[in-house]
Amino acid sequence: MRYLLPSFLIVLLISCSSYPKKHGFVKVESPLQQVKNPYFSDVSKDYVYKAAIEAFGKNFGGIFIVKKLAANQHRVVFTTEMGNKIFDFSFHGDEFKINYVLPQLDKKILINILKTDFQVLTTEELRIRKEFKNNSNSLYETSIDSKKYYSHVTENELQQIVRVKNTKEKVEFLFSEINDNIAEHIQVIHQNFKLKITLKAL
């Protein structure tokens, strides 16, 4: 019993430590004001991906398209491979519009989650609140809609965004196979909700 209490206290302290500390990062003074997400920032490009979405125990496959229309304005469309719409959303600053959503997916909780996910993916500039370092890796604490996010940057490339609540990871946005400011492979993984989005550039 006397060994159990110290072990419990160690586990408790580790689990209560901040997200940066748990991942070996230390706070530094940041010379930057913003961290940039360049992956959907070119108004001249159509970003087209083969997509798989797992939600509510159902699997949806098709084509995922993101188009930047103007500054702070994007349209996000998911269709079947035959071209039938599954959902079609517009983002303009803080405004969000549902142009279409398949009745099977028209659930308020899911729409709100998709809205938040795609807002994170298309937000190009995040104001830095704190910066942390681990060797050549940088970690930036930011916020979107009052939710706390951490952006992982390695060699000037944004590789991961994590939404954190009470030090626990809630949602991971993973960017890989990065080429010319395009993340050719993107995953959005929810830890406490059965939703996973996988995008592969076409």
Side-chain angles (χ1 to χ4, degrees):
M1 185 70 178
R2 61 180 177 177
Y3 299 109
L4 186 60
L5 184 58
S7 299
F8 173 75
L9 290 174
I10 289 170
V11 170
L12 185 63
L13 287 171
I14 291 172
S15 64
C16 291
S17 63
S18 69
Y19 177 85
K21 189 173 181 180
K22 282 199 295 188
H23 291 81
F25 286 85
V26 294
K27 187 179 177 183
V28 297
E29 290 299 319
S30 180
L32 304 176
Q33 297 297 314
Q34 295 175 326
V35 58
K36 293 186 180 295
N37 173 1
Y39 300 133
F40 298 103
S41 63
D42 191 339
V43 72
S44 69
K45 292 183 179 178
D46 292 334
Y47 298 93
V48 183
Y49 292 81
K50 186 173 180 62
I53 298 179
E54 302 170 30
F56 291 116
K58 298 183 183 297
N59 296 318
F60 299 88
I63 306 299
F64 183 85
I65 305 163
V66 180
K67 176 67 177 175
K68 180 178 179 179
L69 303 174
N72 299 316
Q73 188 174 355
H74 290 80
R75 191 157 181 179
V76 176
V77 179
F78 182 40
T79 73
T80 66
E81 293 191 6
M82 299 296 291
N84 298 317
K85 280 186 184 180
I86 297 174
F87 59 69
D88 178 351
F89 303 144
S90 294
F91 295 85
H92 190 180
D94 294 331
E95 295 179 13
F96 170 70
K97 181 182 177 183
I98 301 172
N99 302 309
Y100 176 80
V101 62
L102 194 70
Q104 287 174 272
L105 296 178
D106 194 7
K107 304 177 189 296
K108 185 175 181 179
I109 185 170
L110 180 59
I111 296 296
N112 287 337
I113 290 171
L114 291 175
K115 171 192 170 184
T116 301
D117 286 352
F118 299 145
Q119 185 177 23
V120 172
L121 287 179
T122 58
T123 297
E124 296 174 39
E125 296 181 343
L126 297 166
R127 183 168 296 278
I128 295 170
R129 296 167 61 179
K130 297 176 186 176
E131 181 179 354
F132 304 85
K133 285 279 190 182
N134 179 352
N135 298 322
S136 62
N137 302 314
S138 297
L139 182 69
Y140 300 100
E141 181 184 312
T142 64
S143 66
I144 300 175
D145 283 346
S146 301
K147 295 180 175 68
K148 185 184 289 186
Y149 291 84
Y150 287 97
S151 298
H152 292 254
V153 176
T154 301
E155 297 180 354
N156 295 319
E157 284 187 344
L158 177 64
Q159 296 188 339
Q160 184 182 23
I161 300 174
V162 183
R163 182 158 72 85
V164 175
K165 184 177 181 182
N166 299 328
T167 76
K168 292 185 178 180
E169 299 176 16
K170 296 297 182 182
V171 190
E172 290 182 273
F173 300 80
L174 306 172
F175 308 96
S176 58
E177 300 176 33
I178 297 163
N179 182 27
D180 193 25
N181 282 337
I182 296 175
E184 297 187 357
H185 189 252
I186 299 173
Q187 283 188 301
V188 182
I189 303 169
H190 287 254
Q191 303 298 335
N192 60 344
F193 188 82
K194 292 183 178 180
L195 176 62
K196 181 180 179 181
I197 302 170
T198 302
L199 306 175
K200 182 70 175 175
L202 292 175

